[in-house]
Amino acid sequence: MTTEPALRVEPPVFEHHREPLGIGQEAPRLSWRTVTDLPDWLQRAYEIEIRDADADADGDGDGDGAPVYATGIVEDDACVLVPWPGEPLASRRSRRVRVRVHGRDGSASDWSPWARVEAGLLEPGDWHARAAAPPVELLGEPDGPAVHLRREFTVRSPVVRARLYVTAHGLHEVEINGSVVGDDVLAPGWTSYSHRLRYRTHDVTALLREGDNAIGATLADGWFRGRVGFEGGRTGVYGDRTALVAQLEVVHEDGTVSRVVTGEGWRCARGAVTAASLYDGERFDARLVPDGWSRPGFDDAGWVPADVVAFDPARLVAPTGAAVRRVETLAPVAVLTGPSGETILDFGQNISGRLRIRVQGPAGHTVTLRHAEVLENGALSLRPLRHAAARDEYTLRGDGDAEEWEPTFTVHGFRYAQVDGWPGAFDPEAVRAVVCHTDMRRTGHFTCSDAELTRLHENTVWSMRGNFVDIPTDCPQRDERLGWTGDIQVFAPTASFLYDCAGPLTSWLEDLAAEQEEYGTVPHYVPWIPLVFEVGPAAAWGDAAVIVPWTLYRRFGDLGLLAARYPSMTAWVDQVAGLAGDRHLWDTGFQFGDWLDPAAPPDRPEKARTDSALVATAYHAWTAHLVAETAALLGHEEDAARYAALASAVREAFRGEYVTPAGRLSSDSQTAYALALSMDLLDKPEQRERAGRRLAELVAFDDHRIATGFVGTPLVCDALADAGQLETAYRLLLQRECPSWLYPVTMGATTIWERWDSMLPDGTVNPGEMTSFNHYALGAVADFMHRVVAGLAPAGPGYRRMRIAPRPGGGLTSASADLDTPYGHAAVSWRLAGGTLTVTAVVPPNTVAEVDLPGSAPAEVGSGTHTFTVAL
């Protein structure tokens, strides 16, 4: 029987990569986590050893040969995003890294397991591939047929290693010798293609063989050429032709390298995908599959040469986060019969994904699959989809065998699916829902004694999953699915607890900065496409340029991300300062305001109770303050003083324009008081006390129902709790009458709705045109649940310092939250029985925690498991 060592180190992580193959950083920062039962353990020093992975003779990472670089003992307690200590990586170069740590108590670990990292193509000159494009006559109208491209090649000697570097104008799926490369969905994802086009690196060593080989790819329009956006959308936003960019590099036993690249010599033809649209769905005719098309020896005499079109390799970037993947499959929980006799499957959960079917029938028979989030009068409710057909069609090959099919180039938001034209008796076991989203690592959980509140949290998780389909979107189902800045601005604290989303959001912020530089402002959504709105600044939406990087710094401890985004942050605050002028009041121009205030008419969601200028000025003060804090952290002392003075001036202007001496606000609304309290806009204690009481009075006047929109909702419970109105916050949180957080739960919701009343109490859908049943923004209250209800909060960047401060209330008898922090596993759980509160906390190694329990003096504890008991 073996025992775990008292002190061990997990394999190091590179930047925020789950899969450090083909990364874009030449000097990736390192993070490692120590696992130990030693109490109060703090790191004193570390050692890092780097070896050449390519020289590891047997490939097991056991260190064949001398280190490339060894730090020796470094007296430093850092273990998160530690600077790369060795020579920078060159393109294609791989290294193995391991770490050993030393504690302040004299303890020392063994070496961690090896972790491998490999650079992608870091310079534009590394690309030998050109863009191979199907001729225009093969493409048809946008969202038309997908096109195959192929080429054969010969491998003349044994292969040691093979890498495929690939991207596309459009969506792609690559095959080598009949096998699909990788498991990405909707590759290469959506970036601001005119600035950044993401490529991905695949290890394809196992797919090659000596002798004849073939590589092929299927291209569809996707975001590049297909329809994107609402109000009819746009097509051809980034170009009128799809194209493949692929570079296969093969390292042979004799040390030579051979390449197969896109350019001349590729041939193409249409295939079985006769139409592919992100919104409308996919049509697939299995009779048209060119059997063996991605294998050697296929007769492509009837295919036509691909064109070589221009592309700029300087736009190619490696990913900073995981790809979209199939992450889960769901079986139907019920088979329903619609009012016209139609077969409807209920999967029990609203998701982003598509269906996988297994069907047998005659050749030419077509099965149609339609998707919807909810039912209305027993039938699919299709009106909320607007101009998204969300319909997939499969035409059978009919060769006598069962045929399995799943769409490749589309995704839908749905809980219910209608199956039409099924040949023979329908078997629900033949259909599965495939959940597709960015393959992020789950990090945070919450549960409590109130089952409906726990379900609300689970709904928030599912809405994040459904709306992180490469970029953070508003909704996954209708003709929109855009990267709205306001949504992620309010949701970022919740998102960064639930999942390790630093990598994906780093990429999205790169796009935001690129488009901000092009347009001179932060667009309302990123990537930006011209639709109904003019590109221009809007408070709370454009403030994402400041608040999202700041949130990621606080939650993941990434100061480098703040440094990278600093020019974007300052450009935003400077722009707003110019708009506000010497009065320091942002009271001109278009604003979304407290969007979707429940009092707003269904067709006028911007008509909120709170003055939009008050909202805008409050945000201006807050983001100026955050930029001042950022400047100080980065050592920009003059900037720090300048932005601190600006924030102070805006706060003073806010008070002069919108606050009475007694602490009442000109907009007598929940959102106005939540903003003033949460963003520290009231300078006198008596003003704060009066504002807190007035907020509680307003909530009580509204029968403890929600009266806030996108802006006020994430703040109102915190504002109440901080003002000493905790029970009012709980009554608001636990309200079940509409509008409230729990009303949708009582109506059977499995995700967060866009509107508080997306479904009316009689089961009909809200008449507004804009009605989604999967929008994460209003689920931002989950952050309050983590920090205040359960009591687990960051008190320092990356949870290096934690705050354990549960605030029981609302009749709850227990709650818990756990989080996989950058330093390790943290958790808080509490139980209330007989007037006694028992709190158990887990503090990760190399961190400390502030403990602040009701009725007890604050204390500080080190790592380990701690139990506290207090009388309430």
Side-chain angles (χ1 to χ4, degrees):
M1 179 178 178
T2 60
T3 59
E4 284 285 316
L7 184 66
R8 64 181 177 87
V9 183
E10 296 178 349
V13 174
F14 307 93
E15 295 290 337
H16 300 288
H17 295 288
R18 290 194 74 181
E19 304 137 344
L21 173 64
I23 70 169
Q25 297 92 352
E26 63 177 14
R29 296 167 298 171
L30 304 173
S31 302
W32 58 86
R33 302 195 303 185
T34 301
V35 180
T36 182
D37 291 330
L38 297 173
D40 304 328
W41 189 87
L42 294 171
Q43 178 181 299
R44 174 183 61 83
Y46 63 79
E47 300 174 70
I48 299 173
E49 189 173 278
I50 302 175
R51 301 199 180 198
D52 186 346
D54 296 332
D56 187 31
D58 54 13
D60 64 0
D62 62 2
D64 305 326
V68 172
Y69 185 85
T71 62
I73 296 178
V74 178
E75 297 288 338
D76 194 336
D77 62 359
C79 63
V80 172
L81 299 169
V82 174
W84 177 261
E87 289 293 320
L89 297 174
S91 293
R92 310 173 182 86
R93 179 60 65 186
S94 59
R95 293 283 187 260
R96 291 184 185 271
V97 182
R98 63 180 181 176
V99 177
R100 182 162 58 191
V101 299
H102 302 264
R104 292 186 186 178
D105 57 2
S107 60
S109 73
D110 292 333
W111 285 104
S112 73
W114 292 97
R116 178 177 176 138
V117 61
E118 181 175 317
L121 303 182
L122 303 181
E123 301 294 337
D126 295 324
W127 286 91
H128 300 270
R130 293 180 289 171
V136 174
E137 57 268 21
L138 287 183
L139 297 179
E141 294 298 316
D143 292 334
V147 179
H148 296 313
L149 294 89
R150 71 181 305 274
R151 177 179 170 174
E152 297 193 14
F153 60 98
T154 301
V155 175
R156 302 191 182 281
S157 62
V159 175
V160 173
R161 183 176 69 254
R163 298 290 185 263
L164 176 66
Y165 308 97
V166 62
T167 188
H169 293 169
L171 304 178
H172 70 79
E173 183 178 74
V174 179
E175 300 181 26
I176 293 179
N177 296 329
S179 296
V180 174
V181 174
D183 55 2
D184 299 6
V185 171
L186 304 180
W190 191 11
T191 53
S192 179
Y193 294 139
S194 56
H195 302 100
R196 303 171 61 251
L197 176 60
R198 193 187 302 128
Y199 73 91
R200 198 166 288 274
T201 304
H202 297 279
D203 181 353
V204 295
T205 310
L207 299 183
L208 300 181
R209 58 189 182 221
E210 284 192 73
D212 295 336
N213 291 261
I215 181 171
T218 307
L219 291 180
D221 291 342
W223 295 281
F224 190 89
R225 182 176 181 265
R227 179 164 63 99
V228 184
F230 50 89
E231 298 284 340
R234 291 273 308 276
T235 60
V237 173
Y238 300 100
D240 58 3
R241 300 185 68 176
T242 55
L244 177 71
V245 179
Q247 184 161 312
L248 174 63
E249 297 191 351
V250 184
V251 179
H252 301 274
E253 278 188 354
D254 60 6
T256 60
V257 177
S258 59
R259 293 189 181 92
V260 178
V261 300
T262 45
E264 287 90 0
W266 288 70
R267 301 180 66 79
C268 48
R270 292 183 180 180
V273 179
T274 60
S277 166
L278 291 167
Y279 295 162
D280 294 332
E282 184 170 312
R283 293 201 303 267
F284 190 97
D285 189 338
R287 298 169 300 175
L288 303 178
V289 174
D291 289 334
W293 71 275
S294 64
R295 297 178 182 275
F298 174 78
D299 182 6
D300 61 9
W303 291 35
V304 299
D307 296 332
V308 178
V309 298
F311 91 102
D312 181 6
R315 287 189 294 113
L316 299 181
V317 296
T320 57
V324 176
R325 294 195 173 96
R326 304 166 182 87
V327 294
E328 187 176 351
T329 58
L330 302 177
V333 299
V335 180
L336 311 173
T337 301
S340 300
E342 62 269 36
T343 298
I344 298 175
L345 303 181
D346 177 5
F347 290 94
Q349 175 62 54
N350 198 12
I351 68 165
S352 173
R354 59 253 189 133
L355 297 181
R356 181 183 299 151
I357 63 173
R358 186 172 176 83
V359 62
Q360 189 171 2
H365 186 86
T366 298
V367 176
T368 301
L369 312 170
R370 302 205 69 176
H371 308 76
E373 295 184 296
V374 296
L375 302 180
E376 195 169 15
N377 299 319
L380 295 188
S381 180
L382 301 177
R383 180 174 58 83
L385 301 179
R386 298 193 306 211
H387 298 291
R391 180 177 60 242
D392 299 324
E393 297 179 4
Y394 179 73
T395 300
L396 279 72
R397 187 184 188 100
D399 56 8
D401 296 326
E403 304 173 35
E404 187 171 288
W405 178 71
E406 173 190 332
T408 302
F409 300 113
T410 194
V411 69
H412 310 293
F414 68 99
R415 170 178 171 171
Y416 299 93
Q418 180 175 315
V419 181
D420 296 327
W422 192 269
F426 178 71
D427 179 8
E429 288 300 307
V431 183
R432 290 292 183 268
V434 182
V435 181
C436 299
H437 58 73
T438 303
D439 190 16
M440 302 169 291
R441 179 172 59 92
R442 180 75 186 271
T443 52
H445 302 81
F446 169 90
T447 189
C448 71
S449 57
D450 187 308
E452 290 182 327
L453 191 60
T454 300
R455 180 67 235 192
L456 172 68
H457 189 271
E458 188 67 9
N459 289 1
T460 304
V461 173
W462 275 101
S463 274
M464 179 174 176
R465 295 177 66 178
N467 282 292
F468 268 66
V469 181
D470 197 59
I471 65 169
T473 62
D474 56 333
C475 59
Q477 76 298 99
R478 67 185 181 219
D479 56 342
E480 192 163 353
R481 315 183 198 183
L482 302 175
W484 284 95
T485 50
D487 297 52
I488 191 60
Q489 181 268 122
V490 300
F491 192 72
T494 296
S496 56
F497 184 95
L498 298 178
Y499 282 90
D500 182 356
C501 57
L505 288 180
T506 295
S507 177
W508 182 79
L509 286 168
E510 290 277 1
D511 286 330
L512 183 151
E515 299 202 327
Q516 177 187 18
E517 184 175 0
E518 176 182 354
Y519 295 109
T521 191
V522 178
H524 304 323
Y525 44 83
V526 174
W528 172 258
I529 53 175
L531 293 168
V532 175
F533 294 105
E534 296 289 335
V535 64
W541 273 249
D543 289 292
V546 175
I547 293 174
V548 175
W550 179 259
T551 300
L552 295 180
Y553 163 68
R554 292 292 299 170
R555 300 307 175 94
F556 297 103
D558 192 345
L559 187 61
L561 186 149
L562 271 188
R565 298 280 64 82
Y566 185 69
S568 169
M569 298 167 74
T570 56
W572 170 254
V573 171
D574 290 346
Q575 181 191 11
V576 175
L579 294 170
D582 294 339
R583 296 169 56 241
H584 299 297
L585 298 172
W586 189 6
D587 54 6
T588 59
F590 169 80
Q591 297 290 351
F592 290 101
D594 194 25
W595 187 256
L596 284 171
D597 179 325
D603 58 345
R604 295 296 303 274
E606 80 284 3
K607 291 290 186 181
R609 280 169 278 204
T610 308
D611 181 358
S612 63
L614 181 153
V615 172
T617 303
Y619 265 94
H620 183 31
W622 183 242
T623 50
H625 163 72
L626 295 183
V627 169
E629 294 285 303
T630 301
L633 288 167
L634 298 177
H636 305 316
E637 295 180 4
E638 291 185 3
D639 280 3
R642 179 164 60 88
Y643 287 111
L646 174 63
S648 177
V650 178
R651 284 194 293 266
E652 184 177 354
F654 180 93
R655 291 190 292 270
E657 184 75 9
Y658 303 116
V659 184
T660 70
R664 294 286 292 267
L665 273 75
S666 58
S667 285
D668 198 33
S669 67
Q670 292 186 25
T671 290
Y673 288 98
L675 285 166
L677 290 163
S678 299
M679 294 183 175
D680 197 24
L681 299 172
L682 306 174
D683 62 340
K684 298 178 181 177
E686 58 270 23
Q687 286 183 324
R688 293 188 58 82
E689 190 276 335
R690 183 64 187 100
R693 280 194 294 113
R694 183 54 184 162
L695 175 58
E697 291 165 2
L698 289 171
V699 172
F701 180 79
D702 287 317
D703 295 325
H704 297 91
R705 301 186 191 192
I706 282 289
T708 53
F710 269 39
V711 168
T713 294
L715 307 176
V716 63
C717 285
D718 271 304
L720 286 165
D722 291 344
Q725 304 288 342
L726 182 66
E727 279 307 310
T728 301
Y730 268 108
R731 290 190 66 179
L732 183 65
L733 178 64
L734 297 173
Q735 173 65 257
R736 283 153 171 85
E737 298 298 321
C738 185
S740 68
W741 281 291
L742 294 185
Y743 164 72
V745 176
T746 68
M747 295 293 290
T750 62
T751 43
I752 301 298
W753 294 351
E754 180 177 22
R755 297 177 181 269
W756 299 108
D757 59 349
S758 284
M759 180 173 284
L760 304 180
D762 63 2
T764 59
V765 173
N766 187 294
E769 180 186 355
M770 193 180 67
T771 303
S772 159
F773 292 87
N774 197 348
H775 252 68
Y776 55 54
L778 300 180
V781 71
D783 186 53
F784 174 82
M785 295 158 65
H786 305 148
R787 292 181 293 98
V788 180
V789 177
L792 175 55
Y799 293 84
R800 183 70 181 267
R801 187 176 186 87
M802 289 170 43
R803 177 172 167 81
I804 299 166
R807 292 295 182 263
L812 299 184
T813 58
S814 65
S816 66
D818 64 88
L819 178 65
D820 199 18
T821 78
Y823 294 88
H825 180 250
V828 177
S829 63
W830 59 263
R831 185 167 297 277
L832 185 60
T836 298
L837 175 67
T838 303
V839 179
T840 300
V842 178
V843 181
N846 208 25
T847 69
V848 294
E850 305 168 2
V851 182
D852 183 1
L853 303 181
S856 297
E860 181 176 292
V861 297
S863 65
T865 300
H866 308 272
T867 300
F868 311 91
T869 301
V870 296
L872 293 183

